[in-house]
Amino acid sequence: MSYIIEVKNIKKVYNMGKVKVEALKTIDVKIEKGEFVAIMGPSGSGKSTLMHILGCLDSPTKGEYFLDGLEISKLKKRKLATIRNIKIGFIFQTFNLLPHLSIHKNVELPLMYSGMNRTQRKKQATKILTSVGLIDRKKHKPSELSGGQRQRVAIARAIVNNPSIILADEPTGNLDTSSGNDILSIFAELHKAGNTIVMVTHDPAVAKRADRTIHIIDGEISNGNIS
C-alpha cells in the first residue's frame, strides 16, 4: 500500500546550550491519501514538532520522511521551501494573515510564489473565496473580519494551490463554538472531496471529526494510539 505520508524512526533533538532536549523519540506514522487524521497530546508532548516536520518547516535529527513518495527528510532548506509551497497547505490557530493586504491578496500569495500569472491568480483566488463563502468580503482587510471569517480565509489560502496535504494546527482553538463548527464543516467537505488532512487539536470533540486519532505523549506515540 502507498502512503501520502510515511515517517520511519523519526527522532528530533534540540540543542539548548549544553542541554539536549529529545522532542521526538522514534516516531513511526503512516497516513493514506484522503485520510483525515487528528494528532492529540498534552503541551510539550511533541505534536507541534511532528507537525513542523510533516510540513517541511523543520528536519528530523534522524529517520526518514516520505511525502507523496518523495524522501525529503534530508533535503536542503530551499528545496524544502519549494515542496512546502507546492504540496502542503497550512492552517494556523492564529490565522497568520498579512494585515496590510486584502483578503483576496492574502489568498493569492501562494500562487504568486508558485509563479502563476496575475490573471490566473485572480481567477483561482476568486473561485476559492467563493467556495468558503467570502467572495463578498474580498476587498476587506483581515482586521475587518470576525475570527471565524479569518479562519475561512486561512483555509482558502491553504487550499488555493490544490496541495497534496492540508496541515491544520489547532484550527478552532481561537474560535467560539459556532465558528469552530463552521470550520469543521468546511474540513468535512474538503475531506469528502478527497483531501488529506492532518489536524493537531487538544479538544477530543474536534478530534472525533477525524477518521482516527494519533496520541503523542513525551515524544512517543502512546499505546492504543488510534481511536
Side-chain angles (χ1 to χ4, degrees):
M1 180 180 293
S2 61
Y3 298 94
I4 194 166
I5 285 176
E6 188 169 7
V7 168
K8 298 180 178 180
N9 299 317
I10 286 290
K11 292 186 178 183
K12 183 63 183 181
V13 179
Y14 293 104
N15 293 314
M16 312 293 285
K18 295 182 179 180
V19 179
K20 290 187 176 183
V21 177
E22 196 172 25
L24 294 177
K25 310 170 186 176
T26 317
I27 293 284
D28 292 281
V29 171
K30 294 178 180 179
I31 296 173
E32 295 178 31
K33 184 176 178 63
E35 265 199 291
F36 185 177
V37 176
I39 298 176
M40 292 190 71
S43 179
S45 62
K47 60 185 186 296
S48 292
T49 299
L50 177 58
M51 281 288 274
H52 286 168
I53 290 173
L54 295 182
C56 302
L57 294 169
D58 203 353
S59 297
T61 305
K62 292 182 180 179
E64 298 174 305
Y65 173 27
F66 293 86
L67 174 61
D68 224 358
L70 178 66
E71 209 285 297
I72 64 169
S73 42
K74 304 205 171 38
L75 295 180
K76 301 297 184 182
K77 287 184 178 180
R78 182 173 294 181
K79 183 64 175 176
L80 283 176
T82 300
I83 291 171
R84 191 165 61 237
N85 187 56
I86 295 171
K87 291 185 174 292
I88 300 170
F90 290 96
I91 302 165
F92 300 96
Q93 179 179 357
T94 52
F95 318 128
N96 284 18
L97 301 174
L98 296 182
H100 61 286
L101 294 182
S102 69
I103 298 312
H104 203 278
K105 288 295 184 184
N106 265 282
V107 174
E108 279 188 57
L109 276 177
L111 303 175
M112 293 176 65
Y113 295 141
S114 65
M116 185 179 288
N117 68 51
R118 184 180 178 186
T119 301
Q120 289 177 309
R121 289 200 313 264
K122 291 183 71 174
K123 183 178 180 180
Q124 179 67 0
T126 296
K127 175 184 174 183
I128 297 300
L129 277 172
T130 301
S131 74
V132 298
L134 284 176
I135 192 60
D136 60 327
R137 300 297 186 96
K138 68 178 183 178
K139 294 182 179 180
H140 288 64
K141 300 288 178 63
S143 62
E144 298 173 301
L145 303 183
S146 68
Q149 289 171 328
R150 277 179 279 172
Q151 193 61 293
R152 278 192 274 161
V153 175
I155 290 172
R157 182 185 57 190
I159 65 176
V160 73
N161 246 351
N162 194 26
S164 301
I165 180 172
I166 298 166
L167 298 181
D169 192 357
E170 297 282 4
T172 62
N174 280 340
L175 305 179
D176 59 43
T177 301
S178 177
S179 296
N181 285 332
D182 289 342
I183 295 306
L184 291 173
S185 293
I186 293 175
F187 275 34
E189 289 299 315
L190 290 170
H191 180 220
K192 186 177 178 181
N195 289 281
T196 306
I197 303 171
V198 181
M199 174 180 65
V200 164
T201 181
H202 69 279
D203 188 340
V206 172
K208 284 182 179 179
R209 301 290 191 103
D211 294 327
R212 63 186 173 105
T213 301
I214 297 172
H215 297 272
I216 297 182
I217 298 175
D218 294 332
E220 298 179 295
I221 295 178
S222 67
N223 292 328
N225 64 85
I226 298 175
S227 60

